[in-house]
Amino acid sequence: MPSDSVLRLVWIYPDLLSTYGDQGNLLVLEQRAKRRGIPVESIRVKSADPVPETGDIYLIGGGEDRPQILAAQRLRKDGGLHRAVARGAAMLAVCAGYQIMGSTFGGEEGQPVEGLGILDISSGRGTVRGVGELVAEVDSALNLPTLTGFENHMGVTRLGPGVRPLAKVVTGVGNGDGYEGCYAGHLVGTYLHGPALARNPALADLLLRWATGEDRLPPLDDSRFEALRQERLAAVAGQ
Amino acid sequence: MTQLPLRAQLASALGRGAATLSRLTGRGDGSVIGGRVGLLLEPDLLRQLAQDKKLALVSATNGKTTTTRLITAALLELGEVATNAFGANMPAGHVSALAQHKAAPYGVLEVDEKYLPEVLHTTGAGVICLMNLSRDQMDRAAEIWLLAQKWRRALSGKPAHVVANCDDPLVTWGASTAAKVTWVSGGQRWKEDSWCCPECGGPLDRKGNDWACRECTFHRPEPQWVLDDDAVIDPHGRRWVLDLKLPGLANRSNAAMALAVAEAFGLPVERALPRLREVTSVAGRYTTVERDGRYARLLLAKNPAGWLEAFDVADPALPVILSVNAQGPDGRDTSWLWDVDYRILRGRPVFVTGERRLDLALRLDIADVPFTLVDTFSEALAMQPPGRVDVIANYTAFQQIRQEFGRAV
Ligand SMILES: [Zn+2]
């Protein structure tokens, strides 16, 4: 738990990387913490402002090519996220935000652009757009239920030895090599865009466990989440 | 008008036949099918049909169907107008619209944002009306920064007269390569897609409707027309109270754009405005339907900016039925629900239906908005006490509801 017992959620650059419902991840984390009596402070950091180093969970979302490049440039110059990660903060990086955590990613014309080097991955541009429901089985070490969500990207991501694949793809594209996303320490990257945590509350709880240092969190009534998950998983299975 | 070559005439006649067939078989408004048949036979048809008309193209993320209707209503003051009234806003729909009114001297075409460069190039339209750009169904729509970039390239070096909303930074950027622009301050309610400068990526400083980049010289141009609450101030400084039948701020903004476009056609406000006031509903939007003493007003909301507009129109004293689908035209991804701030609905009786009601249910749950989950729209309507209720639905959900009422609306 953070020193002053307020859980700090930091949403990086909603003005650049928040193309599709990325706010959902913040709202789900906020609610799941609050319902367990954990006081929460949410900080929305615009791209002209410094990234605070003292957050507990960092969120970064998806976006178009140009905002993605701008975000990478600014985060590199700012250094706040690097320092937070070095401190052991947790992070969920989504889609464009996932790609920029690596050494390189594909720019507007597919040209390589320098990333942040926070995750041991590199990304480029693929030839087809991966659009649609994604289903994947999470790495057994994390002990999480099936990952479900929506992807919409042209990225292809190669994982280095410093990260592990987050999940093995059942349906969809993911990284492009049969796996989806990656994780290392308390950092998670995923192509599940927008409100990935609304479909995967267990992933939200994983971030909360990492951030609070609690092995177990009090259970919540997740019937709404569960109803949606089952409907979507059944819809994909029936395709 | 000049005669169309024989092959083109045949193609457009066949197109009209197919449109009639599609209407008769109940497959739609007929406007797209007719155009597709025509285009297959004669790819050059759109150019030929457009040749002798004074054309306005209308494009935006939201409000293009309504604004097209308003401009059409105004230009009818000058003569016959060809228009794609049913929102079939790609080239096939344009062919169909123009073929149905070959003799009309005027044309007003709603154009899908992505197709604007192509349609402008093909038709050589004289007036282009550009209103707003915001996030839309991203699994099929283009990225909007890229879209604005394409508008810039398409407008550059063309003689077209652009009428554009200068309160939207991205639209301003997209329009500003045009040779002639009339700027309209039409307001911008959804700002989440324009916190950064389209020119350099720097932060935009915003105050009211005004905006300027902190890092480069890009700033809001001085408007010639201004929407001022319930009135429009024209370039001569005269204030016209709009007094529309269409509800809400978004429609007052659409009307301001329409008046500026009308003037670009030489039609003064005193002749255009009375025509705008006669428009009461547009392709079912804002219509009230009745069943067993329940009066349901239908509001269409396709994306986050559209939901903001619908909330502005919805009556806080009434119950509200929300219906969400995720079929092709809606976008198959429901992530956008998380960009809408539903907290405004707290305290109203809220009913949730549609094919993706479970997505919406979770969204409302997280927003702490109590609601009743209902399997069908009919059930939701039957659960209302006799009297008025507002309905907000996205595209196919909206069409399904219209269908239930025999599309008489
Ligand atoms: Zn700038």
Side-chain angles (χ1 to χ4, degrees):
Chain A
M1 195 68 174
S3 54
D4 51 4
S5 77
V6 173
L7 183 77
R8 283 206 187 83
L9 307 177
V10 181
W11 183 12
I12 297 173
Y13 298 172
D15 54 341
L16 282 177
L17 295 179
S18 157
T19 300
Y20 238 33
D22 292 283
Q23 174 179 238
N25 291 328
L26 181 73
L27 298 179
V28 169
L29 282 171
E30 262 180 11
Q31 196 213 42
R32 296 184 78 76
K34 280 182 188 161
R35 288 194 177 170
R36 291 173 168 124
I38 303 169
V40 180
E41 183 188 353
S42 291
I43 305 156
R44 297 170 185 232
V45 185
K46 286 201 174 165
S47 58
D49 299 328
V51 177
E53 299 168 33
T54 54
D56 298 301
I57 303 177
Y58 287 77
L59 299 170
I60 183 163
E64 300 185 22
D65 295 334
R66 238 182 106 183
Q68 182 186 24
I69 295 168
L70 282 168
Q73 287 167 349
R74 285 181 193 172
L75 284 171
R76 211 171 34 239
K77 207 168 122 196
D78 178 84
L81 180 63
H82 287 87
R83 290 189 290 274
V85 166
R87 254 189 46 240
M91 176 179 75
L92 176 68
V94 167
C95 207
Y98 167 41
Q99 294 177 343
I100 66 174
M101 294 303 151
S103 54
T104 56
F105 60 94
E108 285 147 306
E109 314 291 338
Q111 80 279 14
V113 179
E114 191 186 348
L116 303 180
I118 286 175
L119 290 170
D120 182 15
I121 59 171
S122 64
S123 302
R125 177 176 287 218
T127 47
V128 286
R129 184 166 278 274
V131 188
E133 292 279 340
L134 189 146
V135 178
E137 295 302 340
V138 181
D139 187 62
S140 59
L142 292 176
N143 196 24
L144 296 179
T146 305
L147 204 61
T148 157
F150 200 92
E151 63 179 331
N152 182 0
H153 62 96
M154 280 184 79
V156 172
T157 297
R158 286 168 296 278
L159 308 190
V163 297
R164 287 183 61 81
L166 176 64
K168 191 168 191 331
V169 172
V170 178
T171 304
V173 176
N175 297 334
D177 61 353
Y179 291 92
E180 147 55 22
C182 76
Y183 74 101
H186 290 174
L187 313 176
V188 174
T190 177
Y191 274 112
L192 291 184
H193 83 174
L197 300 184
R199 290 277 202 92
N200 303 283
L203 182 57
D205 285 356
L206 177 69
L207 294 166
L208 289 173
R209 290 204 310 267
W210 283 344
T212 58
E214 304 281 341
D215 284 343
R216 282 219 180 113
L217 295 168
L220 298 172
D221 173 6
D222 280 341
S223 48
R224 282 269 182 245
F225 286 97
E226 206 43 49
L228 176 60
R229 280 177 61 82
Q230 293 314 322
E231 184 207 78
R232 296 326 305 156
L233 288 169
V236 174
Q239 265 171 12
Chain B
M1 73 176 261
T2 52
Q3 276 291 307
L4 288 175
L6 189 60
R7 189 149 173 268
Q9 278 203 18
L10 178 67
S12 77
L14 275 172
R16 281 200 307 278
T20 310
L21 198 65
S22 134
R23 268 193 306 275
L24 289 176
T25 53
R27 292 196 51 202
D29 292 312
S31 34
V32 171
I33 291 183
R36 272 196 201 124
V37 173
L39 272 187
L40 280 176
L41 280 158
E42 182 55 88
D44 207 29
L45 194 53
L46 181 57
R47 190 184 59 77
Q48 293 177 28
L49 287 166
Q51 218 161 36
D52 300 308
K53 290 196 190 339
K54 291 193 172 72
L55 269 190
L57 306 182
V58 181
S59 202
T61 305
N62 287 321
K64 43 188 183 289
T65 304
T66 302
T67 306
T68 296
R69 174 66 179 278
L70 290 171
I71 295 169
T72 302
L75 295 189
L76 280 169
E77 184 73 10
L78 297 174
E80 197 188 343
V81 183
T83 184
N84 49 343
F86 296 106
N89 59 18
M90 295 180 216
H94 302 143
V95 165
S96 177
L98 297 183
Q100 278 168 38
H101 297 272
K102 279 222 201 82
Y106 300 97
V108 183
L109 298 178
E110 171 186 339
V111 184
D112 180 278
E113 307 88 277
K114 288 189 299 298
Y115 283 87
L116 185 70
E118 178 189 329
V119 175
L120 172 60
H121 181 75
T122 309
T123 62
V127 179
I128 320 287
C129 177
L130 305 173
M131 302 178 294
N132 56 70
L133 280 174
S134 70
R135 61 190 68 184
D136 202 7
Q137 293 86 35
M138 301 281 296
D139 62 322
R140 61 182 184 85
E143 302 182 324
I144 54 177
W145 206 327
L146 211 61
L147 209 55
Q149 174 76 42
K150 286 179 182 160
W151 285 8
R152 283 174 72 79
R153 290 196 192 120
L155 291 168
S156 172
K158 296 267 191 338
H161 178 177
V162 173
V163 176
N165 180 7
C166 64
D167 293 344
D168 186 320
L170 204 49
V171 166
T172 302
W173 190 64
S176 55
T177 54
K180 180 177 183 191
V181 189
T182 296
W183 298 108
V184 180
S185 167
Q188 187 198 34
R189 288 150 298 279
W190 173 263
K191 296 189 168 61
E192 299 310 313
D193 292 309
S194 43
W195 292 112
C196 291
C197 173
E199 179 70 30
C200 77
L204 288 182
D205 290 318
R206 311 193 59 140
K207 195 176 163 200
N209 283 331
D210 201 13
W211 53 264
C213 178
R214 203 181 295 167
E215 286 171 10
C216 76
T217 59
F218 190 60
H219 64 280
R220 175 177 174 261
E222 198 57 43
Q224 284 96 10
W225 296 74
V226 176
L227 175 66
D228 180 25
D229 191 23
D230 61 346
V232 163
I233 300 166
D234 73 14
H236 315 288
R238 293 173 302 182
R239 192 168 189 279
W240 303 83
V241 174
L242 287 168
D243 202 17
L244 303 174
K245 295 220 174 53
L246 292 178
L249 190 55
N251 283 322
R252 296 201 289 279
S253 177
N254 294 337
M257 301 297 301
L259 290 173
V261 169
E263 200 187 68
F265 279 86
L267 184 68
V269 181
E270 52 267 41
R271 289 177 66 197
L273 184 52
R275 294 278 188 163
L276 304 194
R277 289 176 181 146
E278 290 166 12
V279 178
T280 54
S281 84
V282 179
R285 298 157 169 87
Y286 317 110
T287 296
T288 297
V289 294
E290 189 268 347
R291 182 187 288 164
D292 302 331
R294 279 85 177 167
Y295 294 86
R297 183 170 52 162
L298 308 184
L299 304 174
L300 174 70
K302 296 188 282 196
N303 49 40
W307 280 79
L308 265 194
E309 293 171 1
F311 291 155
D312 173 57
V313 171
D315 185 341
L318 294 181
V320 60
I321 300 172
L322 311 178
S323 185
V324 169
N325 286 357
Q327 297 184 17
D330 306 309
R332 296 195 178 278
D333 177 19
T334 55
S335 300
W336 59 270
L337 291 170
W338 294 85
D339 289 325
V340 180
D341 190 351
Y342 287 98
R343 291 174 298 179
I344 193 170
L345 299 179
R346 285 179 191 164
R348 296 182 212 183
V350 176
F351 297 80
V352 171
T353 188
E355 292 161 5
R356 295 302 290 270
R357 57 190 175 278
L358 294 182
D359 293 76
L360 182 53
L362 177 65
R363 174 70 190 95
L364 293 178
D365 213 28
I366 299 282
D368 288 321
V369 176
F371 61 92
T372 307
L373 193 60
V374 193
D375 285 345
T376 66
F377 173 76
S378 287
E379 279 175 62
L381 191 61
M383 289 168 83
Q384 306 305 316
R388 289 161 57 215
V389 56
D390 280 323
V391 178
I392 308 178
N394 71 340
Y395 192 74
T396 65
F398 187 88
Q399 300 307 339
Q400 286 168 353
I401 294 166
R402 279 182 78 198
Q403 215 95 48
E404 278 198 37
F405 289 86
R407 226 176 167 124
V409 291

